[in-house]
Amino acid sequence: MISNYSPVAAFKLEDQKDVLTGYAAPSGESPCLLKLVGGDTPIFFARASGYSASAAADGFRSGWCGFEVHGAAQAFVVSDTVRLVCGVSGEVLAEITEPPRTTSASQPGAWSVTDLLSEVRRPDTSPSMDELSRFALNHYRRHGARQFIEATYETLLGRWPDPNAPQVNERLADDEKKVASYLRMIVKSEEYQARWGALMPGAFHPSFRYDRSGVI
């Protein structure tokens, strides 16, 4: 498992409220793996593969190296010494000196099933249609309309396009408009809403099929 990840090259811990958030930019192409430990006991593992606006602003990986680490409160039950560690190199990235400031709204007992599913999926999701469109446009320009449609169906609907799948609107002269129009059509569909709701898969979600090269 460790061979699928890169060591941390740049790190920033942004917030300790509810969960630990920030970014960990990798030294290689693969995302970083972070490990939360209480004393010598591993508590939680997280991939730094989500989107971080701070990482984007700082020029790291187009923003796609954000993380969310849960379990700090549990780690303090195990030990007074809580650290966030690079899962590849073992480097200590941060020492957590106090439990996260949990708010009442973040308590799972107050959440619906939909809220809980969203929380589980959120670290691997795209923050906006604009971010997703960058990858979709890149794929369209690199691989053409047919492969763009196939990648869109696999990414957003989790299946191969059927023979009646809509085609790209070639009457639109601009590539960005073609791609944006197609994405909006899929995202508005009942099938997409049933699968994702208000969320969109991010660049390192298992279902993501757009070409990331040249974007990250």
Side-chain angles (χ1 to χ4, degrees):
M1 179 179 72
I2 298 300
S3 62
N4 296 328
Y5 297 96
S6 298
V8 175
F11 174 83
K12 183 177 182 180
L13 181 61
E14 297 180 303
D15 193 10
Q16 293 179 226
K17 184 177 181 180
D18 300 333
V19 296
L20 308 179
T21 62
Y23 66 76
S27 59
E29 293 185 4
S30 302
C32 297
L33 178 68
L34 304 182
K35 178 170 64 172
L36 181 71
V37 296
D40 296 323
T41 304
I43 302 295
F44 190 87
F45 289 87
R47 293 187 309 161
S49 56
Y51 183 80
S52 164
S54 293
D58 292 344
F60 293 113
R61 206 169 171 80
S62 299
W64 288 97
C65 54
F67 64 79
E68 293 185 2
V69 174
H70 299 253
Q74 291 83 346
F76 275 100
V77 173
V78 174
S79 173
D80 292 333
T81 304
V82 176
R83 297 185 178 94
L84 200 55
V85 178
C86 174
V88 175
S89 69
E91 176 189 0
V92 176
L93 303 170
E95 291 193 359
I96 314 304
T97 58
E98 60 183 34
R101 304 181 302 278
T102 304
T103 64
S104 58
S106 69
Q107 296 300 314
W111 292 353
S112 67
V113 172
T114 301
D115 291 334
L116 289 169
L117 288 174
S118 295
E119 184 69 12
V120 170
R121 290 175 170 178
R122 190 159 53 89
D124 280 329
T125 57
S126 183
S128 68
M129 177 70 80
D130 288 342
E131 283 299 327
L132 185 67
S133 295
R134 295 178 61 203
F135 296 99
L137 179 61
N138 178 60
H139 197 99
Y140 178 86
R141 288 175 171 170
R142 283 174 176 265
H143 303 287
R146 183 59 198 175
Q147 290 194 38
F148 160 71
I149 293 171
E150 292 170 356
T152 298
Y153 264 70
E154 287 189 285
T155 299
L156 299 182
L157 301 180
R159 66 177 177 85
W160 196 253
D162 54 62
N164 297 321
Q167 301 301 303
V168 173
N169 186 354
E170 296 294 345
R171 291 174 297 178
L172 298 172
D174 184 79
D175 287 350
E176 292 187 27
K177 291 181 179 178
K178 291 177 184 177
V179 167
S181 174
Y182 201 87
L183 291 181
R184 283 196 300 270
M185 176 178 57
I186 298 298
V187 168
K188 289 180 179 178
S189 70
E190 291 184 4
E191 183 178 356
Y192 174 84
Q193 292 298 321
R195 179 177 175 82
W196 284 100
L199 301 176
M200 283 178 261
F204 292 96
H205 189 278
S207 73
F208 197 84
R209 294 294 181 270
Y210 292 127
D211 193 337
R212 295 190 296 257
S213 56
V215 181
I216 294 180

